[in-house]
Amino acid sequence: QVQLVESGGGLVQAGGSLRLSCAASGRTFSTWAMGWFRQAPGKEREFVTAISWSGDSSSANSVKGRFTISRDNAKNTVYLQMNSLKPEDTAVYYCAVNVRWSRIRTTNDGGIWGQGTQVTVSS
């Protein structure tokens, strides 16, 4: 069974940086799209950014220019470099994988979720 494990979350001051990692294990495929969602208290889970197997990426407007997604297909790992962090970025960040590029860019229907990692940005 495929498992996703996130790491790298923590507490950081506004303007700081964090790098999240998500390692996939089990029966995985390099052609799967991989991405990140986040959920703040009292809010619905929202799409943050995703990357296709070929390296094409898509990001929410709220993080463009600040967050960068990358992947290492050989390691079945996706990364999220977060710079210029804002208090509004505080949330639990979830790694996700999906066979369909269109689905991971919306709600990750039929995909797989990681357990989440907390990111807290102080003002």
Side-chain angles (χ1 to χ4, degrees):
Q1 187 66 42
V2 176
Q3 290 184 305
L4 303 176
V5 180
E6 302 99 329
S7 62
L11 175 65
V12 65
Q13 294 181 349
S17 300
L18 284 174
R19 190 184 191 225
L20 306 183
S21 298
C22 174
S25 62
R27 190 170 181 270
T28 60
F29 300 90
S30 61
T31 54
W32 287 355
M34 305 184 74
W36 296 90
F37 289 72
R38 67 185 182 186
Q39 187 167 22
K43 295 185 177 181
E44 296 183 349
R45 190 171 299 185
E46 65 175 351
F47 169 78
V48 177
T49 184
I51 186 168
S52 72
W53 67 270
S54 61
D56 196 17
S57 64
S58 180
S59 300
N61 290 333
S62 60
V63 305
K64 286 183 177 178
R66 300 188 298 119
F67 292 10
T68 302
I69 189 170
S70 61
R71 67 188 294 170
D72 186 332
N73 290 340
K75 297 181 179 179
N76 290 318
T77 301
V78 64
Y79 306 94
L80 180 62
Q81 179 65 47
M82 304 185 293
N83 298 326
S84 301
L85 283 163
K86 304 175 181 179
E88 306 94 273
D89 296 318
T90 296
V92 176
Y93 284 70
Y94 297 90
C95 179
V97 298
N98 205 299
V99 175
R100 300 298 298 271
W101 173 238
S102 61
R103 293 181 178 179
I104 201 166
R105 293 190 296 171
T106 54
T107 57
N108 195 35
D109 289 347
I112 300 171
W113 297 96
Q115 83 287 352
T117 185
Q118 177 70 48
V119 172
T120 302
V121 184
S122 62
S123 60

